[in-house]
Amino acid sequence: MKQVEVAVIGTGWCGGIRAETLSRSALVDKLHICEIRPERLAEVKALTRPATATLDYQDIINNQSISVVYICTTPEPTHFPIARDCLKGGKQVLLEKPIAMELWEADELITIARRAGLKFTIGYSQRFNPKIAYAKKKITDGTLGRPVSVMVSRNLSRSLGKKIASRVKLSPAAMESTHDLDFVFWLLEPAKPVRVYSQGSYGYMQAVNGSYDVMWTTVTMDNGMLVVIGGGWNLPPSYPNYCATWIEITGTEGALILDDTQRDNWLNTVQEGTRFPMSTMPGEQVDHVFAGQMGPETIHFLESCILDRPVMVAPEHARMVMETYTAADLSAARNEPIDLPLSNAALSAVADMKAASRAD
Ligand SMILES: NC(=O)c1ccc[n+]([C@@H]2O[C@H](COP(=O)([O-])OP(=O)(O)OC[C@H]3O[C@@H](n4cnc5c(N)ncnc54)[C@H](O)[C@@H]3O)[C@@H](O)[C@H]2O)c1
């Protein structure tokens, strides 16, 4: 059996999940981990017993035996330089979303990977949510007829919202609805987004970093289909990093309603009250079983590399998603619809908007 040496760079929450999954896989010859916080490196080292553990990601790049790398670092501006260095070092890369902070950075990563013939994908884990895989199957096999509309409402716990909003100035559209834009555009392929209108509402998070609590974004596709996506991060705590999603898909021959609000497992304790376990976006390891999407997603990428199969999320698709949430941010700031692809005038307005936000 072919085995490979793999590495995880950034072993916080998601990187810890990926490292644990890889440490359990027979496809992994040796696991290597990298984390700049020594105490977290020691924790994940004890959990996964890697061949090496380092504080410097250059050690991963310089190790020629490592062929597959998962990049799970925060803050998000670390994604581009680390992914660029790994791809230039000849590694196959799974990079957590967002693909980059700037569109030109995404383009550069895509070009480096394509020229070198390397697998490069973005961790849009919801593609591995069985409910969403089922929606893809039912649209593809014609059960729903011609799709007419898709609505997704996603709400996260404010503890996670605060963690994200405190480290980087990215909106709920860029950090949360990004998952929904990704899988909805995948469901509706080959349709492409052509117009975006978004509005945001302030609440709890405004005092944390000036961010909206909730954004609702309407996207018109080039064949007229309508996509409406709400993303928020102000729910009171009901499990660390709790996430609830409701999905409505209508078509000419049928409709599919998916309740992914994760309230089907109710843990109630005297000390902590109501909890909905196994309800985070990536999921979690539960003894011998992975409850959620990030475990299967991690192994799928490894198998794509070993068997030379296509990756689940093409980086060009992730770039289209990035362009769409960038348009949503601009639309909310200007109170007007924005056309896609972004025009030069819109790109320059985005640059001004980002500069103003950095100056705040
Ligand atoms: N797919 C999903 O469902 C999902 C869910 C949550 C987060 N995410 C994405 O995953 C990424 C990671 O999120 P998280 O919640 O695990 O973050 P986290 O903050 O818990 O972990 C990130 C880790 O990276 C480490 N790090 C930073 N710079 C580094 C470097 N140069 N070298 C090595 N380690 C470094 C940090 O010390 C930290 O431990 C985010 O960008 C986020 O957008 C995806």
Side-chain angles (χ1 to χ4, degrees):
M1 183 177 64
K2 188 172 174 196
Q3 290 182 312
V4 288
E5 293 198 29
V6 306
V8 179
I9 301 177
T11 57
W13 179 31
C14 294
I17 292 172
R18 296 208 190 271
E20 187 177 0
T21 300
L22 292 164
S23 74
R24 291 164 176 259
S25 172
L27 299 172
V28 174
D29 178 13
K30 286 182 185 153
L31 170 67
H32 305 264
I33 62 171
C34 170
E35 166 59 54
I36 50 171
R37 287 186 291 136
E39 69 288 0
R40 180 62 182 161
L41 184 69
E43 247 173 60
V44 180
K45 193 175 165 187
L47 180 72
T48 62
R49 307 199 168 282
T52 68
T54 175
L55 297 164
D56 182 356
Y57 79 85
Q58 293 299 336
D59 292 339
I60 303 292
I61 291 168
N62 293 332
N63 184 337
Q64 298 304 317
S65 307
I66 299 173
S67 58
V68 182
V69 179
Y70 297 77
I71 302 170
C72 313
T73 52
T74 58
E76 281 65 16
T78 56
H79 287 194
F80 169 66
I82 299 180
R84 180 198 54 203
D85 293 355
C86 287
L87 289 167
K88 283 193 170 166
K91 314 296 186 197
Q92 326 253 29
V93 170
L94 181 149
L95 171 64
E96 304 292 354
K97 53 76 171 164
I99 181 170
M101 301 297 283
E102 304 291 340
L103 288 163
W104 68 263
E105 296 173 337
D107 290 335
E108 189 169 327
L109 296 179
I110 292 167
T111 304
I112 300 170
R114 194 192 312 119
R115 285 200 182 138
L118 293 166
K119 305 260 183 230
F120 174 42
T121 194
I122 304 303
Y124 279 120
S125 317
Q126 291 304 308
R127 298 251 194 135
F128 292 84
N129 178 333
K131 295 185 189 198
I132 288 160
Y134 183 77
K136 177 71 175 171
K137 186 176 160 72
K138 290 292 108 183
I139 288 176
T140 307
D141 72 11
T143 306
L144 303 187
R146 182 173 55 79
V148 174
S149 66
V150 183
M151 190 282 289
V152 183
S153 169
R154 179 180 300 279
N155 284 293
L156 292 183
S157 158
R158 63 180 59 183
S159 54
L160 183 55
K162 195 172 172 188
K163 177 184 171 192
I164 298 167
S166 305
R167 71 179 179 233
V168 68
K169 278 197 170 173
L170 285 168
S171 68
M175 287 303 285
E176 297 318 322
S177 301
T178 184
H179 286 280
D180 307 306
L181 292 166
D182 167 67
F183 79 71
V184 173
F185 293 166
W186 176 57
L187 295 180
L188 300 180
E189 276 175 350
K192 294 267 188 301
V194 289
R195 194 165 49 257
V196 178
Y197 180 64
S198 188
Q199 294 278 274
S201 179
Y202 290 112
Y204 166 79
M205 211 59 73
Q206 190 176 20
V208 178
N209 83 336
S211 156
Y212 293 125
D213 273 27
V214 176
M215 283 175 84
W216 277 91
T217 302
T218 302
V219 183
T220 311
M221 306 301 283
D222 57 3
N223 57 5
M225 285 184 300
L226 195 55
V227 173
V228 186
I229 292 183
W233 44 25
N234 72 356
L235 288 189
S238 35
Y239 190 58
N241 303 347
Y242 175 73
C243 176
T245 313
W246 181 262
I247 301 168
E248 294 175 7
I249 304 169
T250 76
T252 53
E253 303 301 322
L256 182 63
I257 312 295
L258 299 167
D259 181 346
D260 203 28
T261 54
Q262 306 279 0
R263 288 169 300 181
D264 47 350
N265 299 301
W266 178 19
L267 174 71
N268 197 351
T269 65
V270 173
Q271 205 167 15
E272 294 190 300
T274 284
R275 284 281 184 269
F276 298 112
M278 299 175 282
S279 59
T280 68
M281 283 188 78
E284 62 192 79
Q285 190 73 41
V286 181
D287 288 340
H288 61 292
V289 158
F290 193 88
Q293 19 285 330
M294 194 169 271
E297 178 192 46
T298 303
I299 298 301
H300 184 276
F301 181 61
L302 193 57
E303 289 177 344
S304 300
C305 295
I306 293 175
L307 301 172
D308 194 17
R309 290 200 298 224
V311 296
M312 173 55 78
V313 179
E316 293 82 0
H317 185 98
R319 200 245 188 233
M320 179 173 72
V321 170
M322 181 179 180
E323 196 172 354
T324 308
Y325 64 69
T326 303
D329 286 342
L330 185 61
S331 171
R334 291 186 150 189
N335 286 313
E336 62 186 35
I338 306 290
D339 288 334
L340 291 174
L342 291 171
S343 63
N344 283 341
L347 286 167
S348 125
V350 167
D352 289 347
M353 182 180 70
K354 286 187 179 179
S357 147
R358 276 194 294 270
D360 276 354

